[in-house]
DNA sequence: TATTGTTATACTCTATAACTATA
DNA sequence: TATAGTTATAGAGTATAACAATA
């Protein structure tokens, strides 16, 4: 049940992302960079469950559009320091707000108790899954 | 959160499926055929959210291994009637039991209330998503 | 020697279009 | 003409291997 539900949620998000000019991976990267500062591209890839080779074109594009900054670390010139720009934060916030409105819409089908249980359960299972995958 | 959780669950299931000699699509087909008899391959593909072209090699393989029966409908010889064999039902039941044990394991991280809410919410949202995708 | 980032390549999965046989 | 099933092909997404720069 979970996988098809995920697909359905993604299908809802795609038009929203497109309106904001973002691909799914670009949106995931903006979210990850906003939540916790990430020092290396490998760590970022790990954090979002992507391959390090796969996010490179994503970072290239985000940098080109000035949504992220990516500069070499002076103390270890192999690593690139990644951070959101003001524009990047703005786009991320606007996009996330719109997506959350859609999610609220879906959650209206649940009673308050179901809703609380569902969200709590989801967070716990999600965190446990993240731990297990390391 | 849902998509990565789904990936993690699938990652758990794959070794189980492999032990029973099933691919993910083969398992999904066996489950669908067990739950409701399906008259046409197109309807089956729709029911499991797959393309009708994609399940053909799956059906070929399941038929070759005598896990399903697939015979032409005499009243409309364009359609193939699909059904589970006794072997197919056996494999499906054994595999599902093992997968559900793994899921029980995960759900142990939840309190009884969270668990009830999570499962109820999941069913409701999943059904709503299935309806919306038609 | 090990690690970060990168590029090129191969592989898998999925979607599209075209064909056949029946209706 | 329309539909069920099939085949072949192209495309997207993903993973693997090899490389340059730096430690």
């Amino acid at each position: 049940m979970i996988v098809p539900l995920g697909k359905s949620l993604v299908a809802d998000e795609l038009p929203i992302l497109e309106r904001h000019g973002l691909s799914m991976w670009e949106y995931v990267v903006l979210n990850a960079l906003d939540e916790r500062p990430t020092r290396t591209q490998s760590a970022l890839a790990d954090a979002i469950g992507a391959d390090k080779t796969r996010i490179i074109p994503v970072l290239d594009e985000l940098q080109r559009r000035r949504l992220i900054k990516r500069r070499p670390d002076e103390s270890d010139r192999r690593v690139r320091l990644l951070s959101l720009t003001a524009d990047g934060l703005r786009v991320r916030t606007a996009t996330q707000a719109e997506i959350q409105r859609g999610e609220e819409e879906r959650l209206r089908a649940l009673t308050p108790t179901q809703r609380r249980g569902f969200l709590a359960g989801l967070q716990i299972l999600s965190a446990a899954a993240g731990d297990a995958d390391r």
Side-chain angles (χ1 to χ4, degrees), chain A residues 40-117:
Chain A
T40 74
Q41 296 183 186
S42 289
L44 172 64
D46 270 1
I48 63 180
D51 200 278
K52 65 172 181 169
T53 66
R54 218 163 57 205
I55 63 173
I56 289 175
V58 175
L59 297 176
D60 288 346
E61 175 65 11
L62 289 174
Q63 182 179 31
R64 192 186 67 73
R65 287 161 54 197
R66 309 260 191 277
L67 300 179
I68 65 169
K69 271 211 302 263
R70 187 206 218 168
R71 59 204 162 81
D73 182 347
E74 285 309 316
S75 70
D76 180 346
R77 298 224 302 284
R78 291 175 304 181
V79 324
R80 310 274 176 274
L81 299 173
L82 303 170
S83 55
L84 279 190
T85 64
D87 272 3
L89 178 59
R90 200 155 29 235
V91 170
R92 178 209 157 274
T93 305
T95 307
Q96 198 190 36
E98 200 169 336
I99 286 177
Q100 281 179 347
R101 273 198 294 278
E103 291 173 349
E104 290 295 332
E105 198 72 37
R106 297 219 186 202
L107 287 171
R108 259 197 267 286
L110 273 50
T111 69
T113 309
Q114 286 171 342
R115 182 196 160 108
R116 268 194 305 276

